[in-house]
Amino acid sequence: QVQLVESGGGLVQAGGSLRLSCTATGRAFSSYTMAWFRQAPGKEREFVAGIIWTGGSTYYADSVKGRFTISRVNAKNTVYLQMNSLKPEDTAVYYCAARTGVLSLNNYDYWGQGTQVTVSS
């Protein structure tokens, strides 16, 4: 069992930056594939970025590629999402998720409670 807690959301102007953190409790964090998803009002939840357990492979949605960076520090049981050049369309609740197995765009086993990111124009 893994519990995930996100932090770092907030209000930022367009063009600004935020760094989200997700800290896990429970066993074997370093063996999990981790990902960030987001859900904007009235829209379905969508995959944003993912990272395998070693940190050696990452994958990004086209909408954030080149602006967002996912990373992890297994010794701290933490995964990060550095968000630069934020746009109003990035406004959403951001969720951290974990799964066993390979990096995937869906089918995650564990979810955090979410953190709100609001980008003003």
Side-chain angles (χ1 to χ4, degrees):
Q1 191 78 5
V2 175
Q3 293 81 42
L4 304 173
V5 178
E6 303 98 333
S7 62
L11 173 64
V12 63
Q13 289 188 331
S17 298
L18 281 176
R19 187 176 79 158
L20 305 183
S21 299
C22 172
T23 300
T25 57
R27 298 188 301 173
F29 168 81
S30 61
S31 67
Y32 285 90
T33 290
M34 302 297 297
W36 288 95
F37 288 75
R38 67 186 181 186
Q39 187 167 21
K43 295 188 177 181
E44 293 188 353
R45 187 167 57 193
E46 64 174 355
F47 175 90
V48 174
I51 186 167
I52 66 170
W53 70 277
T54 64
S57 180
T58 57
Y59 187 81
Y60 298 92
D62 287 342
S63 58
V64 306
K65 202 171 295 182
R67 299 188 298 122
F68 290 11
T69 303
I70 188 171
S71 62
R72 66 190 294 165
V73 179
N74 288 338
K76 295 184 177 182
N77 282 9
T78 301
V79 62
Y80 303 98
L81 185 68
Q82 178 67 44
M83 306 185 294
N84 299 328
S85 302
L86 283 161
K87 305 175 181 179
E89 51 263 44
D90 294 318
T91 295
V93 177
Y94 284 71
Y95 298 91
C96 176
R99 72 185 303 270
T100 55
V102 300
L103 199 155
S104 172
L105 300 186
N106 49 37
N107 295 324
Y108 282 74
D109 303 308
Y110 305 103
W111 295 85
Q113 83 288 349
T115 185
Q116 177 71 47
V117 172
T118 303
V119 184
S120 63
S121 57

